[in-house]
Amino acid sequence: MNKYGVLAIDLAKTVFQVCKTDSFGNVIYNKAVNRKRLKEILTLEKKSLVAMESCGGTHYWARFAKAQGHEVKAIPARLVKSFLQGQKTDANDAIAISVAALQPNIKSSRLITAEDQSLNCMDGARAALVSTKRAQANQIRAYLLEFGIPIAKSDKVLKVEIPTILGDAEKGK
């Protein structure tokens, strides 16, 4: 049995649904709050199990809740879905998160530090740049091939050949 109450949060960008339940699962309140009010709730509430679906913003809010002394459980959305009753609304989602959090067999998603999250962001940005660079190089090769100028698939060859091709074009060759 969970000895704390549960603060189940349906995360969003600006308006969050917070469902507070006692340790037996009885709903104390279920209300929509803005970002500022969510921070106040997490700061003022006594130690609770803060549960949320794993989605955008989860790591930030998990770190914030932990810093306020709460326990945190981030639950994969596919596991929460089976506890949803009624229509899919923010209020019903928050209740489903609360119910799922109290289940002993529901595993929490791995939460990462701000440093690890920053590294993941940099890796993602680098991968996107590499992909864009590769696509641009392939596009240049395709355009040149339409003019009868084949270039081997190598960044080094492309860098060496482009100035030569542009120089020849200026000379009318």
Side-chain angles (χ1 to χ4, degrees), residues 33 38 75 78 105-106 134 140:
V33 298
L38 179 57
I75 306 167
R78 63 182 171 77
N105 60 332
I106 299 291
R134 184 177 303 119
I140 290 169

Side-chain angles (χ1 to χ4, degrees), residues 80-89 91-93 95-97 99:
V80 172
K81 187 176 182 180
S82 60
F83 295 97
L84 183 64
Q85 293 184 354
Q87 298 294 319
K88 182 164 176 39
T89 64
N92 287 344
D93 286 350
I95 291 171
I97 293 166
V99 172

Side-chain angles (χ1 to χ4, degrees), residues 55-74:
C55 63
T58 300
H59 296 292
Y60 169 78
W61 288 109
R63 287 191 299 266
F64 186 85
K66 278 186 175 182
Q68 307 312 311
H70 299 288
E71 288 185 24
V72 176
K73 191 170 190 177

Side-chain angles (χ1 to χ4, degrees), residues 33-146:
V33 298
N34 63 23
R35 190 174 207 77
K36 181 182 176 188
R37 181 68 183 127
L38 179 57
K39 285 185 173 185
E40 290 171 2
I41 289 170
L42 290 172
T43 302
L44 298 175
E45 285 286 342
K46 62 182 180 181
K47 185 173 182 177
S48 302
L49 171 62
V50 175
M52 58 193 87
E53 282 183 336
S54 298
C55 63
T58 300
H59 296 292
Y60 169 78
W61 288 109
R63 287 191 299 266
F64 186 85
K66 278 186 175 182
Q68 307 312 311
H70 299 288
E71 288 185 24
V72 176
K73 191 170 190 177
I75 306 167
R78 63 182 171 77
L79 298 178
V80 172
K81 187 176 182 180
S82 60
F83 295 97
L84 183 64
Q85 293 184 354
Q87 298 294 319
K88 182 164 176 39
T89 64
D90 290 345
N92 287 344
D93 286 350
I95 291 171
I97 293 166
S98 179
V99 172
L102 293 174
Q103 304 305 309
N105 60 332
I106 299 291
K107 301 279 190 249
S108 180
S109 298
R110 184 176 150 281
L111 297 170
I112 59 176
T113 64
E115 293 78 18
D116 286 342
Q117 190 174 356
S118 297
L119 290 173
N120 288 346
C121 290
M122 288 192 313
D123 285 345
R126 183 184 184 287
L129 287 171
V130 168
S131 176
T132 302
K133 177 185 164 201
R134 184 177 303 119
Q136 186 69 55
N138 288 338
Q139 188 176 32
I140 290 169
R141 283 188 191 87
Y143 288 154
L144 291 173
L145 190 57
E146 291 294 322

